[in-house]
Amino acid sequence: MASLYIGIILLTRVAQQICSKYKSMLFPKSIYGVAKLMAFTNLLSAIPAVILMLLGGSMAINLNTVITSALSGISIVVSSICGLVSMKSGTMVLSSMFSAAGLIVPCIAGVFLFAEPMSRLQWLGIVVLIASSLLLISSAKQINPQFSFKTVFCLLGSFLANGLTMLMQMIFSRSSEGGSVSMFSFFTFAIPCLAMVLLSVVLHRQPPADNEKLPKKLLLFAAGAGVAVFIVNQLATLASGFVPPAILFAFINGGNTMIAALVAAILFGEKLTVKSITGLLLGVASLIIIKAF
């Protein structure tokens, strides 16, 4: 079952990458615009969870579900914003690799929280993953002249926030006995949606020049990304109960990096340099190492 979940997640990642790239190109310039975009995206992610619960899914709720989903939701918003900004000033491959590198967080946390030891070769796989990220950074600097310290800051934010998202999924699946995955997903998106709505209401009182309107094209791609994020989050949470985090998140996020490279090259004409190709190959090697050992 876990293999089926991972396969669906990787297919969904294709649509998510396409939508995310267009979102980064149309990304709002004001905080008000960002708040509205995040509210809309999280709303579209929360609706499928409600539908699943109404169709007969469990609606069990406890304090652990609320806390872990709230932290997961906040981290998803931070990861999304940082990822879109870094994609705009860097490359799709680089942004995806740093997001994927977040798997280091639940892998290391799993050692201390759930006594899931990692072998020396798995640690080596993480080191190789870091090396591939460094090569991709160097390549992005050559490709995109907009690359700056702000890009690096957003990449690190994406790394930590995505890692926290994966960690919360793992903690929920391990410690919330009898908890509803659909309820977890609902709160994951409903809580930040409410927060962003409140923020946009406050910011709406600012001068009219700051009340940025979102183009319909952006909302369309945001809707696609929102549904895709729900599917990935839902299935990743289910799969985390069957597969060790070092393997699960390596495939989910590492595979996403490979997908990003193909989508970027085929649809958006991003150049694949020697450094970026080497970085991708090292990324694949790190996945093999983590999976095999």
Side-chain angles (χ1 to χ4, degrees):
M1 184 63 71
S3 298
L4 176 61
Y5 289 157
I6 293 174
I8 296 175
I9 287 173
L10 292 179
L11 289 175
T12 305
R13 288 290 199 187
V14 176
Q16 184 182 3
Q17 284 292 345
I18 294 173
C19 291
S20 294
K21 179 60 178 179
Y22 281 113
K23 279 175 62 181
S24 72
M25 296 165 63
L26 301 168
F27 196 68
K29 297 180 180 179
S30 67
I31 297 177
Y32 174 69
V34 172
K36 287 201 300 182
L37 177 62
M38 291 298 105
F40 178 75
T41 302
N42 280 280
L43 175 63
L44 266 294
S45 296
I47 290 176
V50 175
I51 294 175
L52 285 179
M53 288 187 290
L54 292 177
L55 290 177
S58 172
M59 298 183 69
I61 183 174
N62 51 45
L63 183 60
N64 181 64
T65 299
V66 175
I67 293 175
T68 53
S69 61
L71 290 174
S72 177
I74 293 171
S75 60
I76 285 177
V77 170
V78 174
S79 177
S80 177
I81 294 174
C82 289
L84 291 172
V85 173
S86 63
M87 189 183 295
K88 188 173 184 177
S89 56
T91 64
M92 286 183 67
V93 179
L94 176 62
S95 178
S96 297
M97 180 60 77
F98 263 80
S99 179
L103 68 88
I104 295 175
V105 175
C107 286
I108 294 177
V111 175
F112 299 99
L113 296 178
F114 303 105
E116 296 180 346
M118 293 180 61
S119 67
R120 292 180 180 178
L121 286 175
Q122 284 179 312
W123 284 109
L124 175 61
I126 290 178
V127 172
V128 173
L129 185 60
I130 294 174
S132 69
S133 298
L134 294 176
L135 283 173
L136 289 170
I137 286 178
S138 178
S139 174
K141 288 181 178 179
Q142 297 175 350
I143 295 174
N144 196 334
Q146 293 182 325
F147 193 96
S148 63
F149 175 77
K150 178 182 178 181
T151 309
V152 176
F153 179 80
C154 288
L155 288 170
L156 292 175
S158 178
F159 159 73
L160 292 174
N162 197 44
L164 180 60
T165 299
M166 290 183 275
L167 178 59
M168 288 303 104
Q169 291 170 343
M170 184 174 70
I171 290 177
F172 171 78
S173 64
R174 297 288 200 281
S175 61
S176 187
E177 184 176 353
S180 168
V181 174
S182 295
M183 184 65 74
F184 173 81
S185 293
F186 171 72
F187 278 116
T188 292
F189 300 111
I191 291 176
C193 176
L194 178 60
M196 291 297 102
V197 168
L198 293 176
L199 178 59
S200 64
V201 170
V202 173
L203 293 176
H204 184 67
R205 299 178 180 179
Q206 301 299 316
D210 296 331
N211 293 336
E212 183 179 4
K213 293 184 178 180
L214 303 181
K216 293 181 179 180
K217 190 174 182 180
L218 173 59
L219 295 177
L220 176 63
F221 289 115
V227 174
V229 168
F230 165 77
I231 294 174
V232 171
N233 184 76
Q234 180 85 354
L235 296 183
T237 303
L238 290 170
S240 63
F242 302 97
V243 183
I247 296 176
L248 173 64
F249 295 120
F251 269 86
I252 290 177
N253 293 281
N256 184 46
T257 302
M258 306 303 128
I259 291 171
L262 293 174
V263 170
I266 297 173
L267 298 182
F268 299 102
E270 285 190 7
K271 296 179 180 179
L272 291 176
T273 64
V274 174
K275 287 183 179 179
S276 64
I277 292 175
T278 303
L280 282 172
L281 292 177
L282 285 176
V284 173
S286 71
L287 296 182
I288 294 174
I289 292 173
I290 293 174
K291 170 63 176 177
F293 303 99

Short mmCIF file of all heavy atoms in Angstrom, two decimals, residues 228-293:
data_model
loop_
_atom_site.label_atom_id
_atom_site.label_comp_id
_atom_site.label_asym_id
_atom_site.label_seq_id
_atom_site.Cartn_x
_atom_site.Cartn_y
_atom_site.Cartn_z
N ALA A 228 -3.28 19.66 -5.09
CA ALA A 228 -2.11 18.78 -5.14
C ALA A 228 -1.44 18.66 -3.78
O ALA A 228 -1.04 17.56 -3.37
CB ALA A 228 -1.11 19.31 -6.17
N VAL A 229 -1.33 19.78 -3.07
CA VAL A 229 -0.73 19.76 -1.74
C VAL A 229 -1.54 18.89 -0.79
O VAL A 229 -0.99 18.14 0.02
CB VAL A 229 -0.60 21.20 -1.17
CG1 VAL A 229 -0.25 21.17 0.31
CG2 VAL A 229 0.46 21.97 -1.93
N PHE A 230 -2.88 18.97 -0.90
CA PHE A 230 -3.72 18.13 -0.04
C PHE A 230 -3.46 16.65 -0.30
O PHE A 230 -3.30 15.87 0.63
CB PHE A 230 -5.21 18.42 -0.28
CG PHE A 230 -6.12 17.36 0.30
CD1 PHE A 230 -6.37 17.32 1.66
CD2 PHE A 230 -6.67 16.38 -0.51
CE1 PHE A 230 -7.17 16.33 2.21
CE2 PHE A 230 -7.47 15.38 0.03
CZ PHE A 230 -7.72 15.36 1.39
N ILE A 231 -3.42 16.27 -1.56
CA ILE A 231 -3.21 14.86 -1.92
C ILE A 231 -1.87 14.37 -1.38
O ILE A 231 -1.78 13.29 -0.78
CB ILE A 231 -3.27 14.67 -3.45
CG1 ILE A 231 -4.68 14.97 -3.96
CG2 ILE A 231 -2.85 13.25 -3.84
CD1 ILE A 231 -4.81 14.96 -5.48
N VAL A 232 -0.83 15.18 -1.58
CA VAL A 232 0.50 14.80 -1.11
C VAL A 232 0.52 14.68 0.41
O VAL A 232 1.04 13.71 0.97
CB VAL A 232 1.56 15.83 -1.57
CG1 VAL A 232 2.91 15.55 -0.89
CG2 VAL A 232 1.72 15.77 -3.08
N ASN A 233 -0.07 15.66 1.09
CA ASN A 233 -0.07 15.66 2.56
C ASN A 233 -0.87 14.48 3.11
O ASN A 233 -0.44 13.81 4.06
CB ASN A 233 -0.68 16.97 3.06
CG ASN A 233 -0.63 17.09 4.57
OD1 ASN A 233 0.40 17.35 5.17
ND2 ASN A 233 -1.77 16.90 5.21
N GLN A 234 -2.02 14.20 2.52
CA GLN A 234 -2.88 13.12 2.98
C GLN A 234 -2.19 11.77 2.83
O GLN A 234 -2.13 10.97 3.77
CB GLN A 234 -4.19 13.13 2.19
CG GLN A 234 -5.19 12.04 2.58
CD GLN A 234 -6.07 12.44 3.75
OE1 GLN A 234 -5.87 13.48 4.35
NE2 GLN A 234 -7.04 11.61 4.09
N LEU A 235 -1.66 11.51 1.64
CA LEU A 235 -1.04 10.21 1.38
C LEU A 235 0.28 10.06 2.11
O LEU A 235 0.64 8.95 2.55
CB LEU A 235 -0.84 10.02 -0.13
CG LEU A 235 -2.12 9.95 -0.96
CD1 LEU A 235 -1.80 9.68 -2.42
CD2 LEU A 235 -3.07 8.88 -0.43
N ALA A 236 1.04 11.14 2.26
CA ALA A 236 2.31 11.07 2.98
C ALA A 236 2.06 10.75 4.45
O ALA A 236 2.81 9.97 5.07
CB ALA A 236 3.07 12.38 2.86
N THR A 237 1.00 11.33 5.02
CA THR A 237 0.66 11.05 6.41
C THR A 237 0.25 9.58 6.58
O THR A 237 0.65 8.92 7.55
CB THR A 237 -0.49 11.96 6.89
OG1 THR A 237 -0.10 13.33 6.71
CG2 THR A 237 -0.78 11.74 8.36
N LEU A 238 -0.53 9.05 5.62
CA LEU A 238 -0.93 7.64 5.68
C LEU A 238 0.28 6.72 5.54
O LEU A 238 0.44 5.75 6.28
CB LEU A 238 -1.95 7.34 4.59
CG LEU A 238 -3.35 7.95 4.75
CD1 LEU A 238 -4.16 7.77 3.48
CD2 LEU A 238 -4.06 7.31 5.94
N ALA A 239 1.16 7.05 4.58
CA ALA A 239 2.32 6.21 4.31
C ALA A 239 3.34 6.23 5.44
O ALA A 239 4.07 5.25 5.65
CB ALA A 239 3.00 6.65 3.01
N SER A 240 3.39 7.34 6.19
CA SER A 240 4.38 7.45 7.27
C SER A 240 4.13 6.44 8.38
O SER A 240 5.00 6.19 9.21
CB SER A 240 4.39 8.87 7.84
OG SER A 240 3.14 9.19 8.43
N GLY A 241 2.93 5.85 8.39
CA GLY A 241 2.63 4.81 9.37
C GLY A 241 3.15 3.45 8.96
O GLY A 241 3.16 2.52 9.77
N PHE A 242 3.62 3.30 7.70
CA PHE A 242 4.10 2.02 7.19
C PHE A 242 5.59 2.01 6.87
O PHE A 242 6.22 0.96 6.89
CB PHE A 242 3.33 1.63 5.92
CG PHE A 242 1.85 1.52 6.09
CD1 PHE A 242 1.02 2.58 5.74
CD2 PHE A 242 1.27 0.37 6.60
CE1 PHE A 242 -0.35 2.50 5.89
CE2 PHE A 242 -0.11 0.28 6.76
CZ PHE A 242 -0.92 1.35 6.41
N VAL A 243 6.12 3.19 6.54
CA VAL A 243 7.49 3.26 6.03
C VAL A 243 8.35 4.17 6.90
O VAL A 243 7.89 5.24 7.31
CB VAL A 243 7.49 3.82 4.58
CG1 VAL A 243 8.90 3.82 4.00
CG2 VAL A 243 6.56 3.01 3.70
N PRO A 244 9.60 3.76 7.23
CA PRO A 244 10.51 4.61 7.99
C PRO A 244 10.71 5.95 7.29
O PRO A 244 10.75 6.01 6.06
CB PRO A 244 11.81 3.81 8.03
CG PRO A 244 11.37 2.39 7.87
CD PRO A 244 10.19 2.45 6.93
N PRO A 245 10.83 7.05 8.05
CA PRO A 245 10.94 8.38 7.45
C PRO A 245 12.11 8.54 6.50
O PRO A 245 12.02 9.26 5.50
CB PRO A 245 11.07 9.30 8.67
CG PRO A 245 11.56 8.42 9.77
CD PRO A 245 10.90 7.11 9.53
N ALA A 246 13.24 7.89 6.80
CA ALA A 246 14.41 8.03 5.94
C ALA A 246 14.13 7.55 4.52
O ALA A 246 14.64 8.09 3.55
CB ALA A 246 15.58 7.23 6.52
N ILE A 247 13.28 6.52 4.41
CA ILE A 247 12.95 5.98 3.09
C ILE A 247 11.78 6.75 2.47
O ILE A 247 11.84 7.17 1.32
CB ILE A 247 12.59 4.48 3.21
CG1 ILE A 247 13.82 3.69 3.67
CG2 ILE A 247 12.09 3.95 1.87
CD1 ILE A 247 13.54 2.21 3.90
N LEU A 248 10.70 6.93 3.25
CA LEU A 248 9.51 7.58 2.73
C LEU A 248 9.80 8.98 2.19
O LEU A 248 9.50 9.29 1.03
CB LEU A 248 8.44 7.67 3.83
CG LEU A 248 7.19 8.47 3.47
CD1 LEU A 248 6.43 7.82 2.32
CD2 LEU A 248 6.28 8.61 4.69
N PHE A 249 10.38 9.82 3.01
CA PHE A 249 10.58 11.20 2.62
C PHE A 249 11.71 11.38 1.61
O PHE A 249 11.75 12.36 0.88
CB PHE A 249 10.80 12.07 3.86
CG PHE A 249 9.60 12.12 4.76
CD1 PHE A 249 9.67 11.68 6.07
CD2 PHE A 249 8.39 12.59 4.28
CE1 PHE A 249 8.55 11.71 6.90
CE2 PHE A 249 7.27 12.63 5.09
CZ PHE A 249 7.34 12.19 6.41
N ALA A 250 12.62 10.41 1.57
CA ALA A 250 13.66 10.45 0.53
C ALA A 250 13.03 10.26 -0.85
O ALA A 250 13.36 10.97 -1.80
CB ALA A 250 14.70 9.36 0.79
N PHE A 251 12.10 9.32 -0.94
CA PHE A 251 11.45 9.06 -2.23
C PHE A 251 10.47 10.17 -2.60
O PHE A 251 10.43 10.61 -3.75
CB PHE A 251 10.74 7.71 -2.20
CG PHE A 251 11.61 6.58 -2.67
CD1 PHE A 251 12.46 5.95 -1.79
CD2 PHE A 251 11.60 6.18 -4.00
CE1 PHE A 251 13.29 4.92 -2.22
CE2 PHE A 251 12.42 5.16 -4.44
CZ PHE A 251 13.26 4.52 -3.55
N ILE A 252 9.68 10.62 -1.63
CA ILE A 252 8.68 11.65 -1.91
C ILE A 252 9.34 12.95 -2.36
O ILE A 252 8.97 13.55 -3.37
CB ILE A 252 7.81 11.91 -0.67
CG1 ILE A 252 6.90 10.71 -0.41
CG2 ILE A 252 6.96 13.17 -0.87
CD1 ILE A 252 6.05 10.85 0.84
N ASN A 253 10.35 13.38 -1.61
CA ASN A 253 10.95 14.68 -1.89
C ASN A 253 12.09 14.59 -2.89
O ASN A 253 12.27 15.50 -3.71
CB ASN A 253 11.43 15.31 -0.58
CG ASN A 253 10.28 15.67 0.33
OD1 ASN A 253 9.62 16.67 0.16
ND2 ASN A 253 10.01 14.81 1.30
N GLY A 254 12.87 13.51 -2.84
CA GLY A 254 13.92 13.34 -3.83
C GLY A 254 13.34 13.13 -5.22
O GLY A 254 13.83 13.68 -6.21
N GLY A 255 12.27 12.34 -5.27
CA GLY A 255 11.60 12.14 -6.56
C GLY A 255 11.03 13.44 -7.09
O GLY A 255 11.03 13.69 -8.30
N ASN A 256 10.57 14.28 -6.18
CA ASN A 256 10.05 15.59 -6.58
C ASN A 256 11.13 16.45 -7.23
O ASN A 256 10.86 17.21 -8.17
CB ASN A 256 9.49 16.31 -5.35
CG ASN A 256 8.83 17.62 -5.69
OD1 ASN A 256 8.05 17.70 -6.64
ND2 ASN A 256 9.15 18.67 -4.94
N THR A 257 12.36 16.32 -6.76
CA THR A 257 13.47 17.08 -7.34
C THR A 257 13.75 16.63 -8.77
O THR A 257 13.99 17.46 -9.67
CB THR A 257 14.74 16.91 -6.50
OG1 THR A 257 14.48 17.34 -5.16
CG2 THR A 257 15.89 17.73 -7.06
N MET A 258 13.71 15.34 -9.00
CA MET A 258 13.91 14.83 -10.35
C MET A 258 12.77 15.31 -11.29
O MET A 258 13.02 15.69 -12.44
CB MET A 258 13.93 13.29 -10.35
CG MET A 258 14.93 12.69 -9.37
SD MET A 258 16.61 13.27 -9.65
CE MET A 258 17.04 13.81 -8.00
N ILE A 259 11.56 15.30 -10.76
CA ILE A 259 10.41 15.77 -11.54
C ILE A 259 10.57 17.25 -11.86
O ILE A 259 10.29 17.70 -12.98
CB ILE A 259 9.10 15.52 -10.76
CG1 ILE A 259 8.82 14.01 -10.68
CG2 ILE A 259 7.93 16.25 -11.41
CD1 ILE A 259 7.67 13.65 -9.75
N ALA A 260 11.03 18.02 -10.88
CA ALA A 260 11.23 19.46 -11.09
C ALA A 260 12.23 19.71 -12.20
O ALA A 260 12.05 20.63 -13.02
CB ALA A 260 11.71 20.11 -9.79
N ALA A 261 13.29 18.92 -12.25
CA ALA A 261 14.31 19.09 -13.29
C ALA A 261 13.73 18.85 -14.67
O ALA A 261 13.99 19.62 -15.61
CB ALA A 261 15.47 18.12 -13.03
N LEU A 262 12.92 17.82 -14.80
CA LEU A 262 12.31 17.50 -16.10
C LEU A 262 11.30 18.56 -16.51
O LEU A 262 11.29 19.02 -17.67
CB LEU A 262 11.64 16.13 -16.03
CG LEU A 262 12.57 14.92 -15.86
CD1 LEU A 262 11.76 13.64 -15.67
CD2 LEU A 262 13.49 14.79 -17.06
N VAL A 263 10.45 18.97 -15.57
CA VAL A 263 9.44 19.99 -15.87
C VAL A 263 10.10 21.31 -16.24
O VAL A 263 9.71 21.98 -17.20
CB VAL A 263 8.50 20.19 -14.65
CG1 VAL A 263 7.60 21.41 -14.87
CG2 VAL A 263 7.65 18.95 -14.43
N ALA A 264 11.15 21.68 -15.48
CA ALA A 264 11.85 22.94 -15.73
C ALA A 264 12.51 22.95 -17.11
O ALA A 264 12.46 23.95 -17.83
CB ALA A 264 12.90 23.18 -14.65
N ALA A 265 13.12 21.83 -17.47
CA ALA A 265 13.83 21.76 -18.76
C ALA A 265 12.87 21.67 -19.95
O ALA A 265 13.06 22.34 -20.96
CB ALA A 265 14.77 20.56 -18.75
N ILE A 266 11.82 20.87 -19.81
CA ILE A 266 10.91 20.62 -20.93
C ILE A 266 9.91 21.76 -21.14
O ILE A 266 9.69 22.21 -22.26
CB ILE A 266 10.15 19.29 -20.73
CG1 ILE A 266 11.13 18.11 -20.72
CG2 ILE A 266 9.10 19.10 -21.81
CD1 ILE A 266 10.50 16.79 -20.35
N LEU A 267 9.32 22.25 -20.06
CA LEU A 267 8.25 23.24 -20.18
C LEU A 267 8.71 24.69 -20.01
O LEU A 267 8.08 25.60 -20.57
CB LEU A 267 7.15 22.94 -19.15
CG LEU A 267 6.44 21.59 -19.29
CD1 LEU A 267 5.35 21.46 -18.23
CD2 LEU A 267 5.84 21.45 -20.68
N PHE A 268 9.78 24.90 -19.24
CA PHE A 268 10.16 26.28 -18.94
C PHE A 268 11.56 26.64 -19.43
O PHE A 268 12.04 27.73 -19.17
CB PHE A 268 10.04 26.53 -17.43
CG PHE A 268 8.65 26.35 -16.91
CD1 PHE A 268 8.30 25.19 -16.24
CD2 PHE A 268 7.69 27.32 -17.11
CE1 PHE A 268 7.00 25.00 -15.76
CE2 PHE A 268 6.39 27.15 -16.64
CZ PHE A 268 6.05 25.99 -15.96
N GLY A 269 12.20 25.74 -20.13
CA GLY A 269 13.47 26.04 -20.77
C GLY A 269 14.62 26.36 -19.83
O GLY A 269 15.57 27.05 -20.22
N GLU A 270 14.57 25.88 -18.59
CA GLU A 270 15.70 26.09 -17.68
C GLU A 270 16.87 25.22 -18.12
O GLU A 270 16.72 24.01 -18.32
CB GLU A 270 15.30 25.77 -16.24
CG GLU A 270 14.43 26.82 -15.59
CD GLU A 270 14.26 26.59 -14.10
OE1 GLU A 270 14.94 25.70 -13.55
OE2 GLU A 270 13.45 27.31 -13.47
N LYS A 271 18.03 25.84 -18.24
CA LYS A 271 19.21 25.11 -18.71
C LYS A 271 19.71 24.13 -17.65
O LYS A 271 19.72 24.43 -16.47
CB LYS A 271 20.32 26.09 -19.07
CG LYS A 271 19.98 27.04 -20.22
CD LYS A 271 21.13 27.99 -20.49
CE LYS A 271 20.78 28.93 -21.64
NZ LYS A 271 21.88 29.89 -21.91
N LEU A 272 20.12 22.97 -18.12
CA LEU A 272 20.76 21.99 -17.25
C LEU A 272 22.27 22.05 -17.50
O LEU A 272 22.75 21.58 -18.52
CB LEU A 272 20.22 20.59 -17.53
CG LEU A 272 18.76 20.33 -17.13
CD1 LEU A 272 18.32 18.94 -17.56
CD2 LEU A 272 18.59 20.48 -15.62
N THR A 273 22.99 22.67 -16.57
CA THR A 273 24.44 22.80 -16.71
C THR A 273 25.13 21.53 -16.20
O THR A 273 24.49 20.63 -15.65
CB THR A 273 24.95 23.99 -15.90
OG1 THR A 273 24.71 23.75 -14.50
CG2 THR A 273 24.21 25.27 -16.31
N VAL A 274 26.43 21.47 -16.39
CA VAL A 274 27.21 20.33 -15.90
C VAL A 274 27.04 20.20 -14.39
O VAL A 274 26.87 19.11 -13.85
CB VAL A 274 28.70 20.49 -16.27
CG1 VAL A 274 29.51 19.38 -15.61
CG2 VAL A 274 28.88 20.46 -17.77
N LYS A 275 27.08 21.35 -13.70
CA LYS A 275 26.94 21.33 -12.24
C LYS A 275 25.56 20.87 -11.81
O LYS A 275 25.43 20.09 -10.87
CB LYS A 275 27.22 22.73 -11.67
CG LYS A 275 28.68 23.14 -11.71
CD LYS A 275 28.88 24.49 -11.05
CE LYS A 275 30.35 24.89 -11.06
NZ LYS A 275 30.57 26.22 -10.44
N SER A 276 24.52 21.35 -12.51
CA SER A 276 23.17 20.96 -12.11
C SER A 276 22.91 19.49 -12.39
O SER A 276 22.26 18.80 -11.60
CB SER A 276 22.13 21.83 -12.83
OG SER A 276 22.17 21.64 -14.24
N ILE A 277 23.43 18.99 -13.51
CA ILE A 277 23.27 17.56 -13.84
C ILE A 277 24.02 16.71 -12.82
O ILE A 277 23.50 15.68 -12.34
CB ILE A 277 23.78 17.27 -15.26
CG1 ILE A 277 22.86 17.94 -16.29
CG2 ILE A 277 23.83 15.76 -15.51
CD1 ILE A 277 23.35 17.80 -17.71
N THR A 278 25.22 17.14 -12.46
CA THR A 278 26.00 16.42 -11.44
C THR A 278 25.26 16.43 -10.11
O THR A 278 25.21 15.41 -9.41
CB THR A 278 27.39 17.06 -11.26
OG1 THR A 278 28.07 17.08 -12.51
CG2 THR A 278 28.21 16.28 -10.24
N GLY A 279 24.67 17.58 -9.78
CA GLY A 279 23.91 17.68 -8.54
C GLY A 279 22.72 16.74 -8.54
O GLY A 279 22.42 16.09 -7.53
N LEU A 280 22.04 16.64 -9.66
CA LEU A 280 20.90 15.73 -9.77
C LEU A 280 21.33 14.27 -9.63
O LEU A 280 20.68 13.48 -8.95
CB LEU A 280 20.19 15.94 -11.11
CG LEU A 280 19.29 17.16 -11.22
CD1 LEU A 280 18.81 17.33 -12.65
CD2 LEU A 280 18.11 17.03 -10.29
N LEU A 281 22.44 13.93 -10.28
CA LEU A 281 22.95 12.56 -10.19
C LEU A 281 23.33 12.20 -8.76
O LEU A 281 23.09 11.09 -8.29
CB LEU A 281 24.15 12.38 -11.12
CG LEU A 281 23.84 12.45 -12.63
CD1 LEU A 281 25.12 12.34 -13.44
CD2 LEU A 281 22.86 11.34 -13.03
N LEU A 282 23.95 13.17 -8.07
CA LEU A 282 24.27 12.94 -6.66
C LEU A 282 23.00 12.77 -5.83
O LEU A 282 22.96 11.98 -4.89
CB LEU A 282 25.11 14.10 -6.11
CG LEU A 282 26.57 14.15 -6.55
CD1 LEU A 282 27.25 15.41 -6.01
CD2 LEU A 282 27.33 12.91 -6.07
N GLY A 283 21.96 13.54 -6.22
CA GLY A 283 20.69 13.40 -5.52
C GLY A 283 20.11 12.01 -5.69
O GLY A 283 19.61 11.40 -4.73
N VAL A 284 20.16 11.49 -6.90
CA VAL A 284 19.69 10.12 -7.15
C VAL A 284 20.53 9.11 -6.36
O VAL A 284 19.99 8.17 -5.76
CB VAL A 284 19.78 9.79 -8.66
CG1 VAL A 284 19.46 8.33 -8.91
CG2 VAL A 284 18.82 10.68 -9.45
N ALA A 285 21.83 9.34 -6.33
CA ALA A 285 22.72 8.44 -5.57
C ALA A 285 22.36 8.44 -4.09
O ALA A 285 22.35 7.39 -3.44
CB ALA A 285 24.17 8.88 -5.77
N SER A 286 22.04 9.62 -3.56
CA SER A 286 21.68 9.69 -2.14
C SER A 286 20.41 8.91 -1.86
O SER A 286 20.29 8.25 -0.83
CB SER A 286 21.52 11.16 -1.72
OG SER A 286 20.35 11.72 -2.29
N LEU A 287 19.44 8.94 -2.80
CA LEU A 287 18.20 8.19 -2.63
C LEU A 287 18.46 6.68 -2.61
O LEU A 287 17.90 5.94 -1.81
CB LEU A 287 17.22 8.52 -3.74
CG LEU A 287 16.71 9.96 -3.80
CD1 LEU A 287 15.72 10.10 -4.94
CD2 LEU A 287 16.07 10.36 -2.50
N ILE A 288 19.34 6.26 -3.52
CA ILE A 288 19.68 4.83 -3.61
C ILE A 288 20.35 4.37 -2.31
O ILE A 288 20.04 3.30 -1.77
CB ILE A 288 20.58 4.56 -4.81
CG1 ILE A 288 19.83 4.84 -6.12
CG2 ILE A 288 21.11 3.12 -4.79
CD1 ILE A 288 20.68 4.74 -7.36
N ILE A 289 21.26 5.19 -1.81
CA ILE A 289 21.97 4.85 -0.58
C ILE A 289 21.01 4.74 0.59
O ILE A 289 21.03 3.78 1.37
CB ILE A 289 23.07 5.91 -0.28
CG1 ILE A 289 24.18 5.82 -1.33
CG2 ILE A 289 23.65 5.68 1.12
CD1 ILE A 289 25.21 6.93 -1.23
N ILE A 290 20.14 5.75 0.71
CA ILE A 290 19.19 5.76 1.84
C ILE A 290 18.20 4.59 1.72
O ILE A 290 17.84 3.95 2.72
CB ILE A 290 18.43 7.09 1.89
CG1 ILE A 290 19.40 8.23 2.23
CG2 ILE A 290 17.32 7.04 2.93
CD1 ILE A 290 18.79 9.61 2.15
N LYS A 291 17.77 4.29 0.50
CA LYS A 291 16.80 3.20 0.29
C LYS A 291 17.44 1.83 0.51
O LYS A 291 16.87 0.96 1.19
CB LYS A 291 16.25 3.28 -1.14
CG LYS A 291 15.42 2.08 -1.59
CD LYS A 291 14.18 1.92 -0.76
CE LYS A 291 13.32 0.77 -1.29
NZ LYS A 291 12.13 0.53 -0.47
N ALA A 292 18.66 1.63 -0.02
CA ALA A 292 19.27 0.30 0.01
C ALA A 292 19.81 -0.08 1.38
O ALA A 292 19.88 -1.27 1.72
CB ALA A 292 20.40 0.24 -1.01
N PHE A 293 20.18 0.93 2.19
CA PHE A 293 20.85 0.60 3.44
C PHE A 293 20.10 1.13 4.67
O PHE A 293 20.68 1.29 5.72
CB PHE A 293 22.27 1.16 3.44
CG PHE A 293 23.09 0.64 2.28
CD1 PHE A 293 23.26 1.40 1.14
CD2 PHE A 293 23.66 -0.62 2.33
CE1 PHE A 293 24.01 0.93 0.06
CE2 PHE A 293 24.39 -1.10 1.28
CZ PHE A 293 24.57 -0.33 0.13
#
